[in-house]
Amino acid sequence: MPVIETIKKALHLDHSSTSTPAASSSTAPSSSTAPAAATDLAVPATSITHETPAFDSKDVTVLFVLGGPGVGKGTQCANLVNDYHFVHLSAGDLLRAEQIRPDSEFGAMIKDYIKEGKIVPMEVTVKLLETAIGDALKSPPAAWAAGTSPRFLIDGFPRKMDQAHKFDDSVCASKAVLFFSCTEEVMLERLMERGKTSGREDDNKESIIKRFRTFIETSMPVVEYYRGRNRVYEIPAIGSKEDVYAKVRVAVDEILAK
Ligand code: C5P
Ligand code: MG
């Protein structure tokens, strides 16, 4: 069976014989008619084929965080978690967690895709993100309970146009994109340094080159798509982390004031 069919079957997205009810637009994840016990992914059997997004963008702010591998997305997201009380969801981290989850039927596939620097079929990644958002809304951080509106940084996502459309349409319409730009030379240097301690199977020169290629060919069109809709805040990720963060703050203040 082709890999995409296997994924759809496991996630109950093969709706050839069943129909999916339209989701509500509340902040709670919608329920689904799919049998809960049959899925093997570490997520409840909610549907990602919503006709309306599972979470309403009036209640939930979603910022996508994009930029080449090693550009410093994770570092800057950590600053924003401290100062603005975002919940930070890294698509790569969620995929790596799913990869090593003992019962996952996607572990081997995810491993292959990551090593090759290729984009994992979006059904898996969107599902993991939708579940993580739902979990955070169910157990919000203290700052949200104290009045900060629910807000998420979705880091390293969307890396491909199909992910962008699927997320905006079925999970939550995104508000803006923070895009970190940098030269490949600088990113390569940072990744080779990180590779000494990261333990990541893709922080080696061969995988890094493939990741750069995927970023240019597959992910930059996503940036351009949102740029065409005036939603991209481009931040040159050059100089010290503090210098970069000062620029990030200006952008985030502007986005949140909208
Ligand atoms: O963002 P990060 O560098 O952690 O991503 C590692 C790998 O995870 C990517 O090279 C890709 O194989 C996979 N990935 C994906 N789709 C995403 C994010 C990451 O397939 N949206
Ligand atoms: Mg990262």
Side-chain angles (χ1 to χ4, degrees), residues 74-202:
T75 304
Q76 296 301 332
C77 284
N79 291 331
L80 290 171
V81 169
N82 281 332
D83 293 340
Y84 293 81
H85 310 302
F86 281 93
V87 163
H88 173 214
L89 298 176
S90 156
D93 287 351
L94 290 172
L95 287 167
R96 281 183 287 274
E98 179 64 20
Q99 183 200 310
I100 58 170
R101 192 173 63 82
D103 293 337
S104 176
E105 61 193 286
F106 303 122
M109 176 198 71
I110 293 172
K111 189 180 163 90
D112 282 353
Y113 274 82
I114 288 182
K115 189 149 179 286
E116 290 304 311
K118 290 195 300 198
I119 306 301
V120 173
M122 58 106 183
E123 284 80 2
V124 173
T125 316
V126 172
K127 185 86 178 173
L128 289 168
L129 285 168
E130 178 179 348
T131 303
I133 290 174
D135 289 348
L137 291 169
K138 272 184 244 148
S139 318
W144 292 6
T148 302
S149 61
R151 48 187 67 166
F152 293 89
L153 296 168
I154 311 289
D155 167 4
F157 181 96
R159 296 270 250 278
K160 194 171 172 180
M161 273 318 301
D162 63 352
Q163 295 184 344
H165 290 311
K166 180 56 95 180
F167 187 97
D168 278 341
D169 293 348
S170 72
V171 181
C172 185
S174 56
K175 189 173 173 99
V177 178
L178 292 177
F179 169 52
F180 293 98
S181 53
C182 190
T183 62
E184 285 189 2
E185 287 72 24
V186 171
M187 291 191 289
L188 178 62
E189 204 175 299
R190 288 179 187 167
L191 287 171
M192 293 304 285
E193 189 56 34
R194 185 174 82 181
K196 290 178 189 163
T197 54
S198 71
R200 278 181 53 163
E201 286 186 53
D202 58 350

Side-chain angles (χ1 to χ4, degrees), residues 23-43:
S24 82
S25 60
S26 76
T27 53
S30 61
S31 62
S32 164
T33 52
T39 183
D40 198 27
L41 193 61
V43 294

